[in-house]
Amino acid sequence: MTRLTNMSMRTRHLSVLQIPIWVFDVHTLRFVWANAEGLRLWEAPDLEELRLRDISVDISQAVRTRLSQHAEDLKSTVDATTEYWTFYPKGKPQSYECVISDFDAESSEPWLMIHALKKDDSSSIDTLYRANALLHTSLFVSVYDHGGKELYSNPAARAIFGSQHSLAEQFCEQENWQLIERQLHQQGHVSTEARVHTLSGEAWHSMTLETCPNPVDGGNAILVSEYDVTEAREARRKIHELAFTDTLTGLPNRAYLLDALSNKIHVARQNSHYLAVFFIDLDRFKVINDSLGHAAGDNLLKAVAKRLQDCIRNSQLVARLGGDEFTVLLDALIDKDDAIVVADRIVESLSEPLVVGNHELLVTPSIGVSYYPEHGDSGNTLMQHADMAMYSAKTAGGGYKFFNSAMLTNVRERLLIEGDLRYALKDEQLTVHYQPKIETQFGQVIGMEALVRWNHPTRGMVPPMEFISVAEETGMISQITRYVLRTAMRQQCVWSALGHDVSVAINISPREFRSGDIALVVQQALEETGCDPAQVELEITESMLMADSGLVHSTLTSMKDLGIKLSIDDFGTGYSNLVYLKKFPLDSIKADRAFLMDTDQLAVLEMIIDMGKRLSLSVVAEGVETREQLNWLLEHDCDELQGYLFSRPVNAEEATEYLRTHHSWLQKMPKSA
Ligand code: C2E
Ligand code: MG
Ligand code: MG
C-alpha cells in the first residue's frame, strides 16, 4: 500500500510530461506504470492492458542481462544512463534514445524508469545496428577515459569485469599495462594478449586497444575490445607440449631435440665451444618389452629416463627419440674429455639393475658419441654419426664409442650386406656347416650343430655374425631358418642311412621364436624331410625364455610334442634365471665358451655343471680348444663337449668323413686312459 502511494506521488508530476515515460520491473519483465505518452508509444489502450502484457518473449538473454546490470548499477553508483533501444509494440520496431534511471532508490525493487527521449528516424539506422550489435556481441567492449576510468561497458564486458572498473586494474602484470599504455600513446593502437583479472578469476584476453575521441565530451578516450583466449592458449600450450614432448617419459622428443640441436650448434659456433651428441640404445629392451609386456617396458623406459637425467647437469638435455633410443646433448663444452666423464657415468648408472615391478632388469646401454665441429656441423650429420658410433658400440657388446670415419664404411657395409643377402637367398649362396658334439662317457660323436655359412661370390665365406643380425632386422631370418632346418634334417637322414646315430642341432633366432609359428615351421620341415624328430635338437637362447608368457610355454610345449629336443645356447650370458630352467621342458644347456676361456670363471662353469645334474639337464661345454680345458671338463664330469679341439665347423662332406673316421675319442681322453 505504501509502495503504491509512494509510486502515485512520484508518478503524478511525470504524468503531465509530454515525453513517453514508463517504469519497468526487470525482475518480472512487466510494466509497472506508464504516462499517457508512454501508453501511446506502446499502443496500449490503458495502463491495465500494458501491465498485463507479457513481453518477456521479445527480450533476449543479452537484453535481460543488460537490464539487470542497469538495475544493479543504478542502485549503487550510477545516476542515469543513456542507450539506444528498439521496442516492438505490437510487433512494429520503434527506436528511441532512452534515459534509464532507478525509479526508487529507497526500495530494493529492480524498477527502471525509462524516458524515451527522442524518436530516432531512419537516418540513424546504422547507429541502431551498432547499438544492437554491442548489446548482443560476446566481445567485451569498453570505453575508458584517457586515465583509464571506465565510461562504458557493453553487457558482456560488464558481466566479467563488474561495474566501475579501471583499465589499469584489469591487468595482472602492471608492467604489461605500462608497456601497452606507452605503445598506445605512441601508435594509437595496440593488439596484444594479456593476463587480466575478471570477476571469476584470472584469464587470458586477446585485446585490441585504440585511442579515440570521447563521443560525449570530445576528450580522449580508449576503446577496448577483447575476448577470452584462456582455453585457446591452454590448447595451444598442450599442442606445443605434445608436439615437443615424449608423453611416456615426459622428456623432450625428437622434434624438440633437432630444434635445440641446431640452436646449440649456432651458439657453439659463436663461442668456439664443443658440443657432444650421445645416441643411446638399450641392448635388451626389445626382449624385455616382448617378454615381460609393454607395461613393464614402459616402466623400464621411464626408469632409464630418470637415470639419464640424473647423469647430467640440469642445463643439459636428455631426449627420447622413440622406442629405446635416447639422446643426450652436452653443450658449451670447453674440454672434449668432459663427454667421456658423462659417458662413463651413464654406463655406470645404467649397469645397476633397474627394478620394474617384481623384476630386477639389466639393460646394457650402447652409446655412440659425435662432436661438433669435428664430426659434423649440422644437427643431422651429428645425429647420424652418433648413431653409427652407437652401432659400433653395440657390435662391441655395449659401452660407448666415439665416432670415427671408419664407421662410415661399416654402415655402408651393412647396407651392402642387406642387398647381397636378398640375392644370396635366391641364388642359393647359403650353405650349412657342421660342428660335432662329443659325449664324455664313451667319447662318441652324438650330434652335429648346423651353422649357416654364406658363400659370397666376391667376399668368400662370410661368418654368420656378420649377417645374422642384418637378416633379423630385415626379416630375412625366417627364410634362413627354414633353409637351415631342411638342409640339416636332410643331412641327418643321409647320416642315419649311413648308419651314424647322430642328431642335428639347429639355432633358432629370438625373432623367429617370437613370431609364434616356429613349431609349425619345424613340423613342416620334419614332414617334408622325413627326419626322425628324436634326432633333432633346437638351440634357443635364454632371452627367449624370459617372458612368463603363455606363448613361450605353448611354443616350447608344441615343439616338445613333436618329439624334438630343446637346449639353451650360450647359457650364462643372459639373465640365467634358474627358475626358467625348471619351468620349461628343456633337455640340455650349453655353457657359453666365455667361462672356459677365463680361468677365473671356471667356478661358474662348475656350478653350471652341478646345477645341470640336479635338474637332470645335460651340460654341453662350448669352445673347447685345449687339452687343459678338456681335462678340466672331464674331471668335473661335464656331459658333452664341442670346440675346435675336436673339429671346427666343416662342410657336409667333411662332417660325413669325420663321422666315418672318429668312432670314439675314448682312447684320447685321459678319464678313460
Ligand atoms: P653358436 O650357436 O653359439 O655357435 C657356436 C659358435 O662358436 C660358432 O660360430 C662356432 O664356429 C664357434 N665355435 C665353436 N667351437 C669353437 C671354439 O672352440 N673356439 C671358438 N673361438 N669358437 C668356436 P659361428 O659358426 O661363427 O656362429 C656364430 C653364431 O651365429 C652361433 O653361435 C649362432 O648363434 C649363430 N648362428 C650360426 N648359424 C645360425 C643359424 O643357422 N641360424 C641362426 N639363427 N643363428 C646361427
Ligand atoms: Mg648354437
Ligand atoms: Mg653357443
Side-chain angles (χ1 to χ4, degrees):
M1 190 64 200
T2 5
R3 206 178 77 196
L4 284 177
T5 325
N6 196 12
M7 188 178 95
S8 57
M9 275 167 59
R10 292 175 62 85
T11 54
R12 197 176 312 140
H13 67 280
L14 297 172
S15 310
V16 296
L17 291 179
Q18 292 300 301
I19 43 169
I21 302 176
W22 63 92
V23 177
F24 189 74
D25 185 336
V26 168
H27 186 63
T28 59
L29 299 178
R30 296 270 178 171
F31 289 92
V32 179
W33 176 84
N35 69 358
E37 285 302 313
L39 291 177
R40 190 163 309 129
L41 186 153
W42 285 101
E43 297 184 23
D46 52 41
L47 192 54
E48 271 323 288
E49 193 269 353
L50 188 63
R51 279 185 176 150
L52 289 173
R53 273 194 203 176
D54 179 9
I55 61 161
S56 62
V57 285
D58 296 330
I59 303 181
S60 70
Q61 191 52 50
V63 173
R64 280 175 209 214
T65 312
R66 186 52 159 181
L67 289 174
S68 304
Q69 286 172 0
H70 280 321
E72 203 180 301
D73 292 354
L74 293 164
K75 278 264 177 277
S76 51
T77 46
V78 183
D79 295 335
T81 184
T82 308
E83 262 181 7
Y84 282 105
W85 277 1
T86 303
F87 310 113
Y88 300 87
K90 309 272 175 176
K92 277 180 275 151
Q94 307 255 19
S95 302
Y96 288 87
E97 184 184 356
C98 297
V99 177
I100 307 136
S101 55
D102 186 25
F103 178 65
D104 183 0
E106 313 281 284
S107 113
S108 61
E109 222 66 72
W111 285 1
L112 298 181
M113 182 163 70
I114 294 123
H115 293 58
L117 269 190
K118 183 176 71 190
K119 189 172 178 187
D120 223 282
D121 57 25
S122 54
S123 65
S124 52
I125 279 178
D126 195 35
T127 320
L128 291 173
Y129 280 135
R130 261 187 268 151
N132 217 26
L134 266 185
L135 196 62
H136 286 93
T137 180
S138 57
L139 270 182
F140 315 128
V141 183
S142 313
V143 181
Y144 301 87
D145 69 10
H146 67 281
K149 188 168 161 288
E150 184 218 1
L151 298 171
Y152 165 84
S153 287
N154 77 337
R158 169 67 179 67
I160 61 146
F161 293 127
S163 60
Q164 299 280 293
H165 61 278
S166 90
L167 186 53
E169 280 166 13
Q170 192 181 319
F171 290 90
C172 294
E173 283 97 23
Q174 279 311 297
E175 313 81 74
N176 214 347
W177 162 237
Q178 283 151 14
L179 197 77
I180 291 171
E181 201 182 18
R182 213 173 310 137
Q183 275 184 11
L184 201 57
H185 186 66
Q186 287 163 355
Q187 298 158 13
H189 175 103
V190 177
S191 285
T192 185
E193 272 189 15
R195 212 150 53 85
V196 295
H197 295 294
T198 74
L199 292 179
S200 53
E202 288 183 5
W204 277 93
H205 279 190
S206 167
M207 313 176 79
T208 307
L209 302 95
E210 218 157 325
T211 50
C212 60
N214 182 341
V216 178
D217 64 8
N220 286 331
I222 306 166
L223 173 70
V224 183
S225 58
E226 52 199 297
Y227 56 95
D228 193 313
V229 290
T230 316
E231 271 181 29
R233 272 183 78 97
E234 180 56 14
R236 249 181 4 232
R237 193 191 61 75
K238 279 231 170 72
I239 289 168
H240 188 266
E241 194 180 281
L242 281 179
F244 289 104
T245 312
D246 167 49
T247 39
L248 177 68
T249 58
L251 291 178
N253 64 7
R254 181 187 289 271
Y256 184 95
L257 174 86
L258 292 177
D259 207 38
L261 187 54
S262 74
N263 290 336
K264 285 179 193 283
I265 290 174
H266 184 69
V267 177
R269 188 175 294 134
Q270 284 177 334
N271 300 325
S272 303
H273 281 161
Y274 296 108
L275 211 137
V277 180
F278 286 50
F279 209 104
I280 305 166
D281 184 280
L282 309 174
D283 288 355
R284 290 181 208 278
F285 178 73
K286 284 189 180 63
V287 180
I288 294 171
N289 204 34
D290 289 352
S291 50
L292 297 184
H294 291 275
D298 284 356
N299 286 333
L300 180 74
L301 291 174
K302 284 190 216 166
V304 169
K306 170 87 185 49
R307 289 229 178 139
L308 289 176
Q309 275 175 313
D310 291 345
C311 288
I312 58 156
R313 286 203 311 270
N314 280 345
S315 58
Q316 291 161 341
L317 184 75
V318 183
R320 179 170 166 236
L321 297 182
D324 58 347
E325 288 175 355
F326 293 84
T327 297
V328 167
L329 198 62
L330 304 183
D331 60 335
L333 284 183
I334 314 250
D335 185 351
K336 278 202 293 182
D337 287 352
D338 289 350
I340 300 180
V341 177
V342 177
D344 278 328
R345 209 182 294 151
I346 293 176
V347 171
E348 195 184 322
S349 162
L350 289 186
S351 55
E352 291 291 314
L354 290 143
V355 181
V356 172
N358 298 328
H359 304 271
E360 271 207 351
L361 302 173
L362 265 181
V363 282
T364 331
S366 294
I367 306 173
V369 187
S370 65
Y371 284 120
Y372 167 85
E374 210 173 311
H375 302 145
D377 58 3
S378 77
N380 262 345
T381 316
L382 287 171
M383 291 285 284
Q384 262 174 24
H385 289 174
D387 188 14
M388 285 176 198
M390 184 279 289
Y391 227 102
S392 158
K394 202 185 240 319
T395 320
Y400 60 87
K401 281 259 195 284
F402 288 81
F403 173 78
N404 63 57
S405 54
M407 290 171 185
L408 286 169
T409 8
N410 285 350
V411 174
R412 272 181 218 125
E413 193 103 309
R414 284 180 78 83
L415 285 174
L416 280 178
I417 286 181
E418 185 183 334
D420 285 2
L421 191 56
R422 284 188 199 284
Y423 185 73
L425 286 167
K426 279 195 223 119
D427 198 40
E428 299 181 355
Q429 289 170 11
L430 294 188
T431 171
V432 177
H433 279 193
Y434 299 90
Q435 187 179 33
K437 263 196 296 186
I438 321 287
E439 53 79 31
T440 50
Q441 209 178 359
F442 303 106
Q444 282 182 338
V445 182
I446 49 157
M448 286 285 187
E449 177 171 3
L451 295 159
V452 71
R453 297 288 179 266
W454 176 9
N455 200 357
H456 192 279
T458 54
R459 293 161 186 254
M461 208 57 98
V462 184
M465 286 310 215
E466 284 180 30
F467 66 92
I468 291 285
S469 64
V470 178
E472 283 187 329
E473 274 167 29
T474 54
M476 286 188 270
I477 190 71
S478 66
Q479 263 174 283
I480 296 179
T481 308
R482 282 167 173 75
Y483 165 77
V484 178
L485 277 170
R486 279 175 179 69
T487 312
M489 285 181 190
R490 270 193 207 106
Q491 190 59 53
Q492 200 286 326
C493 295
V494 172
W495 287 328
S496 247
L498 290 172
H500 300 299
D501 181 18
V502 66
S503 65
V504 282
I506 297 114
N507 294 284
I508 303 296
S509 111
R511 189 192 147 116
E512 199 54 21
F513 186 78
R514 284 196 297 271
S515 74
D517 63 355
I518 185 69
L520 191 68
V521 172
V522 174
Q523 186 184 358
Q524 283 167 350
L526 284 169
E527 283 164 8
E528 205 174 292
T529 56
C531 183
D532 176 5
Q535 297 286 35
V536 174
E537 184 170 331
L538 297 186
E539 295 190 6
I540 59 177
T541 57
E542 280 169 87
S543 62
M544 302 186 205
L545 304 183
M546 269 203 42
D548 197 3
S549 75
L551 180 70
V552 177
H553 211 275
S554 67
T555 305
L556 290 176
T557 313
S558 23
M559 294 208 287
K560 278 302 285 181
D561 288 348
L562 294 172
I564 60 173
K565 293 200 187 76
L566 294 174
S567 69
I568 301 295
D569 204 357
D570 307 333
F571 184 80
T573 52
Y575 285 92
S576 310
N577 187 331
L578 306 183
V579 177
Y580 301 138
L581 295 182
K582 188 93 190 95
K583 193 158 160 185
F584 298 114
L586 305 169
D587 298 279
S588 62
I589 44 184
K590 300 183 74 176
D592 195 77
R593 74 165 203 275
F595 299 114
L596 211 48
M597 278 160 59
D598 182 353
T599 41
D600 290 343
Q601 301 270 326
L602 283 174
V604 182
L605 187 53
E606 202 175 335
M607 253 164 51
I608 295 176
I609 296 172
D610 186 48
M611 188 184 64
K613 299 244 176 302
R614 285 167 200 268
L615 296 174
S616 309
L617 296 169
S618 70
V619 176
V620 186
E622 290 187 279
V624 188
E625 293 184 359
T626 66
R627 275 217 88 84
E628 288 73 44
Q629 290 169 340
L630 170 66
N631 291 343
W632 189 94
L633 288 161
L634 291 173
E635 264 165 43
H636 290 86
D637 212 11
C638 184
D639 303 299
E640 290 169 36
L641 313 170
Q642 192 181 354
Y644 292 171
L645 180 66
F646 309 102
S647 169
R648 287 181 175 261
V650 289
N651 66 29
E653 218 171 279
E654 290 165 316
T656 309
E657 184 59 16
Y658 189 91
L659 287 174
R660 199 179 64 77
T661 50
H662 291 77
H663 295 293
S664 169
W665 266 79
L666 205 58
Q667 58 277 28
K668 298 186 188 170
M669 290 189 184
K671 187 172 76 166
S672 51

PDB file of all heavy atoms in Angstrom, residues 454-476:
ATOM      1  N   TRP A 454      77.741 -68.267 -45.487  1.00  0.00           N
ATOM      2  CA  TRP A 454      77.345 -67.577 -46.726  1.00  0.00           C
ATOM      3  C   TRP A 454      78.561 -67.572 -47.641  1.00  0.00           C
ATOM      4  O   TRP A 454      79.556 -66.917 -47.354  1.00  0.00           O
ATOM      5  CB  TRP A 454      76.876 -66.171 -46.384  1.00  0.00           C
ATOM      6  CG  TRP A 454      76.523 -65.309 -47.561  1.00  0.00           C
ATOM      7  CD1 TRP A 454      76.407 -65.682 -48.869  1.00  0.00           C
ATOM      8  CD2 TRP A 454      76.233 -63.907 -47.506  1.00  0.00           C
ATOM      9  NE1 TRP A 454      76.046 -64.620 -49.647  1.00  0.00           N
ATOM     10  CE2 TRP A 454      75.925 -63.512 -48.834  1.00  0.00           C
ATOM     11  CE3 TRP A 454      76.184 -62.962 -46.490  1.00  0.00           C
ATOM     12  CZ2 TRP A 454      75.586 -62.200 -49.144  1.00  0.00           C
ATOM     13  CZ3 TRP A 454      75.848 -61.670 -46.812  1.00  0.00           C
ATOM     14  CH2 TRP A 454      75.553 -61.290 -48.130  1.00  0.00           C
ATOM     15  N   ASN A 455      78.400 -68.275 -48.721  1.00  0.00           N
ATOM     16  CA  ASN A 455      79.491 -68.354 -49.667  1.00  0.00           C
ATOM     17  C   ASN A 455      79.340 -67.214 -50.674  1.00  0.00           C
ATOM     18  O   ASN A 455      78.732 -67.359 -51.721  1.00  0.00           O
ATOM     19  CB  ASN A 455      79.429 -69.722 -50.358  1.00  0.00           C
ATOM     20  CG  ASN A 455      80.759 -70.081 -50.975  1.00  0.00           C
ATOM     21  OD1 ASN A 455      81.702 -69.289 -50.938  1.00  0.00           O
ATOM     22  ND2 ASN A 455      80.836 -71.275 -51.558  1.00  0.00           N
ATOM     23  N   HIS A 456      79.901 -66.060 -50.297  1.00  0.00           N
ATOM     24  CA  HIS A 456      79.704 -64.843 -51.099  1.00  0.00           C
ATOM     25  C   HIS A 456      80.618 -64.899 -52.328  1.00  0.00           C
ATOM     26  O   HIS A 456      81.801 -65.247 -52.207  1.00  0.00           O
ATOM     27  CB  HIS A 456      80.033 -63.622 -50.235  1.00  0.00           C
ATOM     28  CG  HIS A 456      79.604 -62.330 -50.832  1.00  0.00           C
ATOM     29  ND1 HIS A 456      80.329 -61.687 -51.794  1.00  0.00           N
ATOM     30  CD2 HIS A 456      78.519 -61.560 -50.597  1.00  0.00           C
ATOM     31  CE1 HIS A 456      79.701 -60.566 -52.135  1.00  0.00           C
ATOM     32  NE2 HIS A 456      78.598 -60.466 -51.421  1.00  0.00           N
ATOM     33  N   PRO A 457      80.072 -64.531 -53.530  1.00  0.00           N
ATOM     34  CA  PRO A 457      80.859 -64.657 -54.753  1.00  0.00           C
ATOM     35  C   PRO A 457      82.182 -63.886 -54.720  1.00  0.00           C
ATOM     36  O   PRO A 457      83.174 -64.325 -55.301  1.00  0.00           O
ATOM     37  CB  PRO A 457      79.942 -64.114 -55.844  1.00  0.00           C
ATOM     38  CG  PRO A 457      78.783 -63.494 -55.150  1.00  0.00           C
ATOM     39  CD  PRO A 457      78.712 -64.080 -53.781  1.00  0.00           C
ATOM     40  N   THR A 458      82.222 -62.720 -54.038  1.00  0.00           N
ATOM     41  CA  THR A 458      83.486 -61.983 -54.028  1.00  0.00           C
ATOM     42  C   THR A 458      84.147 -61.945 -52.656  1.00  0.00           C
ATOM     43  O   THR A 458      85.360 -61.884 -52.539  1.00  0.00           O
ATOM     44  CB  THR A 458      83.282 -60.526 -54.510  1.00  0.00           C
ATOM     45  OG1 THR A 458      82.244 -59.951 -53.702  1.00  0.00           O
ATOM     46  CG2 THR A 458      82.881 -60.463 -55.964  1.00  0.00           C
ATOM     47  N   ARG A 459      83.342 -62.004 -51.589  1.00  0.00           N
ATOM     48  CA  ARG A 459      83.930 -61.896 -50.248  1.00  0.00           C
ATOM     49  C   ARG A 459      84.401 -63.233 -49.699  1.00  0.00           C
ATOM     50  O   ARG A 459      85.003 -63.275 -48.644  1.00  0.00           O
ATOM     51  CB  ARG A 459      82.899 -61.371 -49.259  1.00  0.00           C
ATOM     52  CG  ARG A 459      82.467 -59.967 -49.494  1.00  0.00           C
ATOM     53  CD  ARG A 459      81.146 -59.775 -48.765  1.00  0.00           C
ATOM     54  NE  ARG A 459      80.596 -58.487 -49.060  1.00  0.00           N
ATOM     55  CZ  ARG A 459      80.596 -57.478 -48.205  1.00  0.00           C
ATOM     56  NH1 ARG A 459      81.096 -57.627 -47.016  1.00  0.00           N
ATOM     57  NH2 ARG A 459      80.091 -56.324 -48.543  1.00  0.00           N
ATOM     58  N   GLY A 460      83.983 -64.285 -50.322  1.00  0.00           N
ATOM     59  CA  GLY A 460      84.342 -65.600 -49.771  1.00  0.00           C
ATOM     60  C   GLY A 460      83.350 -66.005 -48.700  1.00  0.00           C
ATOM     61  O   GLY A 460      82.215 -65.537 -48.690  1.00  0.00           O
ATOM     62  N   MET A 461      83.785 -66.825 -47.740  1.00  0.00           N
ATOM     63  CA  MET A 461      82.889 -67.338 -46.717  1.00  0.00           C
ATOM     64  C   MET A 461      82.594 -66.258 -45.667  1.00  0.00           C
ATOM     65  O   MET A 461      83.500 -65.851 -44.945  1.00  0.00           O
ATOM     66  CB  MET A 461      83.551 -68.563 -46.078  1.00  0.00           C
ATOM     67  CG  MET A 461      82.584 -69.562 -45.535  1.00  0.00           C
ATOM     68  SD  MET A 461      81.419 -70.180 -46.765  1.00  0.00           S
ATOM     69  CE  MET A 461      82.198 -71.713 -47.232  1.00  0.00           C
ATOM     70  N   VAL A 462      81.359 -65.811 -45.626  1.00  0.00           N
ATOM     71  CA  VAL A 462      81.005 -64.773 -44.648  1.00  0.00           C
ATOM     72  C   VAL A 462      80.475 -65.458 -43.389  1.00  0.00           C
ATOM     73  O   VAL A 462      79.540 -66.250 -43.466  1.00  0.00           O
ATOM     74  CB  VAL A 462      79.917 -63.826 -45.225  1.00  0.00           C
ATOM     75  CG1 VAL A 462      79.610 -62.697 -44.253  1.00  0.00           C
ATOM     76  CG2 VAL A 462      80.345 -63.277 -46.580  1.00  0.00           C
ATOM     77  N   PRO A 463      81.062 -65.163 -42.202  1.00  0.00           N
ATOM     78  CA  PRO A 463      80.581 -65.813 -40.974  1.00  0.00           C
ATOM     79  C   PRO A 463      79.200 -65.284 -40.554  1.00  0.00           C
ATOM     80  O   PRO A 463      78.872 -64.130 -40.852  1.00  0.00           O
ATOM     81  CB  PRO A 463      81.643 -65.448 -39.935  1.00  0.00           C
ATOM     82  CG  PRO A 463      82.339 -64.253 -40.465  1.00  0.00           C
ATOM     83  CD  PRO A 463      82.198 -64.265 -41.952  1.00  0.00           C
ATOM     84  N   PRO A 464      78.425 -66.107 -39.846  1.00  0.00           N
ATOM     85  CA  PRO A 464      77.050 -65.713 -39.505  1.00  0.00           C
ATOM     86  C   PRO A 464      76.975 -64.430 -38.685  1.00  0.00           C
ATOM     87  O   PRO A 464      76.026 -63.668 -38.820  1.00  0.00           O
ATOM     88  CB  PRO A 464      76.505 -66.888 -38.704  1.00  0.00           C
ATOM     89  CG  PRO A 464      77.663 -67.767 -38.395  1.00  0.00           C
ATOM     90  CD  PRO A 464      78.720 -67.466 -39.384  1.00  0.00           C
ATOM     91  N   MET A 465      77.993 -64.189 -37.837  1.00  0.00           N
ATOM     92  CA  MET A 465      77.966 -62.970 -37.019  1.00  0.00           C
ATOM     93  C   MET A 465      77.807 -61.725 -37.880  1.00  0.00           C
ATOM     94  O   MET A 465      77.279 -60.723 -37.433  1.00  0.00           O
ATOM     95  CB  MET A 465      79.277 -62.854 -36.224  1.00  0.00           C
ATOM     96  CG  MET A 465      79.361 -63.811 -35.068  1.00  0.00           C
ATOM     97  SD  MET A 465      77.885 -63.733 -34.043  1.00  0.00           S
ATOM     98  CE  MET A 465      78.605 -64.020 -32.461  1.00  0.00           C
ATOM     99  N   GLU A 466      78.288 -61.794 -39.118  1.00  0.00           N
ATOM    100  CA  GLU A 466      78.243 -60.606 -39.966  1.00  0.00           C
ATOM    101  C   GLU A 466      76.928 -60.429 -40.693  1.00  0.00           C
ATOM    102  O   GLU A 466      76.653 -59.371 -41.225  1.00  0.00           O
ATOM    103  CB  GLU A 466      79.397 -60.645 -40.993  1.00  0.00           C
ATOM    104  CG  GLU A 466      80.708 -60.310 -40.353  1.00  0.00           C
ATOM    105  CD  GLU A 466      81.867 -60.349 -41.330  1.00  0.00           C
ATOM    106  OE1 GLU A 466      81.659 -60.078 -42.526  1.00  0.00           O
ATOM    107  OE2 GLU A 466      82.980 -60.683 -40.876  1.00  0.00           O
ATOM    108  N   PHE A 467      76.110 -61.476 -40.753  1.00  0.00           N
ATOM    109  CA  PHE A 467      74.860 -61.265 -41.495  1.00  0.00           C
ATOM    110  C   PHE A 467      73.589 -61.679 -40.759  1.00  0.00           C
ATOM    111  O   PHE A 467      72.496 -61.277 -41.150  1.00  0.00           O
ATOM    112  CB  PHE A 467      74.916 -61.946 -42.877  1.00  0.00           C
ATOM    113  CG  PHE A 467      74.996 -63.447 -42.853  1.00  0.00           C
ATOM    114  CD1 PHE A 467      73.832 -64.204 -42.899  1.00  0.00           C
ATOM    115  CD2 PHE A 467      76.219 -64.101 -42.802  1.00  0.00           C
ATOM    116  CE1 PHE A 467      73.907 -65.584 -42.892  1.00  0.00           C
ATOM    117  CE2 PHE A 467      76.299 -65.478 -42.793  1.00  0.00           C
ATOM    118  CZ  PHE A 467      75.130 -66.230 -42.839  1.00  0.00           C
ATOM    119  N   ILE A 468      73.723 -62.450 -39.643  1.00  0.00           N
ATOM    120  CA  ILE A 468      72.501 -62.869 -38.932  1.00  0.00           C
ATOM    121  C   ILE A 468      71.731 -61.648 -38.398  1.00  0.00           C
ATOM    122  O   ILE A 468      70.511 -61.565 -38.534  1.00  0.00           O
ATOM    123  CB  ILE A 468      72.822 -63.849 -37.765  1.00  0.00           C
ATOM    124  CG1 ILE A 468      73.306 -65.196 -38.317  1.00  0.00           C
ATOM    125  CG2 ILE A 468      71.626 -64.055 -36.844  1.00  0.00           C
ATOM    126  CD1 ILE A 468      72.241 -66.089 -38.917  1.00  0.00           C
ATOM    127  N   SER A 469      72.468 -60.668 -37.849  1.00  0.00           N
ATOM    128  CA  SER A 469      71.747 -59.513 -37.290  1.00  0.00           C
ATOM    129  C   SER A 469      71.049 -58.718 -38.393  1.00  0.00           C
ATOM    130  O   SER A 469      69.943 -58.229 -38.203  1.00  0.00           O
ATOM    131  CB  SER A 469      72.684 -58.636 -36.475  1.00  0.00           C
ATOM    132  OG  SER A 469      73.664 -58.092 -37.312  1.00  0.00           O
ATOM    133  N   VAL A 470      71.706 -58.604 -39.560  1.00  0.00           N
ATOM    134  CA  VAL A 470      71.056 -57.909 -40.684  1.00  0.00           C
ATOM    135  C   VAL A 470      69.813 -58.698 -41.113  1.00  0.00           C
ATOM    136  O   VAL A 470      68.746 -58.130 -41.367  1.00  0.00           O
ATOM    137  CB  VAL A 470      72.021 -57.760 -41.888  1.00  0.00           C
ATOM    138  CG1 VAL A 470      71.321 -57.095 -43.064  1.00  0.00           C
ATOM    139  CG2 VAL A 470      73.250 -56.974 -41.492  1.00  0.00           C
ATOM    140  N   ALA A 471      69.960 -60.028 -41.141  1.00  0.00           N
ATOM    141  CA  ALA A 471      68.826 -60.873 -41.540  1.00  0.00           C
ATOM    142  C   ALA A 471      67.685 -60.752 -40.539  1.00  0.00           C
ATOM    143  O   ALA A 471      66.513 -60.726 -40.921  1.00  0.00           O
ATOM    144  CB  ALA A 471      69.279 -62.328 -41.624  1.00  0.00           C
ATOM    145  N   GLU A 472      68.039 -60.596 -39.247  1.00  0.00           N
ATOM    146  CA  GLU A 472      66.998 -60.446 -38.226  1.00  0.00           C
ATOM    147  C   GLU A 472      66.281 -59.118 -38.394  1.00  0.00           C
ATOM    148  O   GLU A 472      65.070 -59.048 -38.342  1.00  0.00           O
ATOM    149  CB  GLU A 472      67.608 -60.530 -36.823  1.00  0.00           C
ATOM    150  CG  GLU A 472      67.933 -61.955 -36.443  1.00  0.00           C
ATOM    151  CD  GLU A 472      68.379 -62.081 -34.989  1.00  0.00           C
ATOM    152  OE1 GLU A 472      68.979 -61.123 -34.461  1.00  0.00           O
ATOM    153  OE2 GLU A 472      68.117 -63.138 -34.401  1.00  0.00           O
ATOM    154  N   GLU A 473      67.066 -58.068 -38.626  1.00  0.00           N
ATOM    155  CA  GLU A 473      66.467 -56.741 -38.774  1.00  0.00           C
ATOM    156  C   GLU A 473      65.539 -56.671 -39.968  1.00  0.00           C
ATOM    157  O   GLU A 473      64.541 -55.976 -39.956  1.00  0.00           O
ATOM    158  CB  GLU A 473      67.564 -55.687 -38.984  1.00  0.00           C
ATOM    159  CG  GLU A 473      68.135 -55.154 -37.700  1.00  0.00           C
ATOM    160  CD  GLU A 473      69.406 -54.376 -37.964  1.00  0.00           C
ATOM    161  OE1 GLU A 473      69.546 -53.791 -39.058  1.00  0.00           O
ATOM    162  OE2 GLU A 473      70.270 -54.372 -37.070  1.00  0.00           O
ATOM    163  N   THR A 474      65.898 -57.384 -41.028  1.00  0.00           N
ATOM    164  CA  THR A 474      65.136 -57.239 -42.269  1.00  0.00           C
ATOM    165  C   THR A 474      64.079 -58.329 -42.445  1.00  0.00           C
ATOM    166  O   THR A 474      63.330 -58.293 -43.401  1.00  0.00           O
ATOM    167  CB  THR A 474      66.090 -57.318 -43.476  1.00  0.00           C
ATOM    168  OG1 THR A 474      66.837 -58.538 -43.339  1.00  0.00           O
ATOM    169  CG2 THR A 474      67.037 -56.146 -43.521  1.00  0.00           C
ATOM    170  N   GLY A 475      64.055 -59.281 -41.514  1.00  0.00           N
ATOM    171  CA  GLY A 475      63.041 -60.339 -41.608  1.00  0.00           C
ATOM    172  C   GLY A 475      63.488 -61.502 -42.476  1.00  0.00           C
ATOM    173  O   GLY A 475      62.790 -62.514 -42.580  1.00  0.00           O
ATOM    174  N   MET A 476      64.668 -61.380 -43.106  1.00  0.00           N
ATOM    175  CA  MET A 476      65.138 -62.469 -43.976  1.00  0.00           C
ATOM    176  C   MET A 476      65.501 -63.710 -43.168  1.00  0.00           C
ATOM    177  O   MET A 476      65.667 -64.794 -43.707  1.00  0.00           O
ATOM    178  CB  MET A 476      66.355 -62.004 -44.779  1.00  0.00           C
ATOM    179  CG  MET A 476      65.979 -61.050 -45.895  1.00  0.00           C
ATOM    180  SD  MET A 476      67.385 -60.692 -46.952  1.00  0.00           S
ATOM    181  CE  MET A 476      68.094 -59.288 -46.167  1.00  0.00           C
TER     182      MET A 476
END
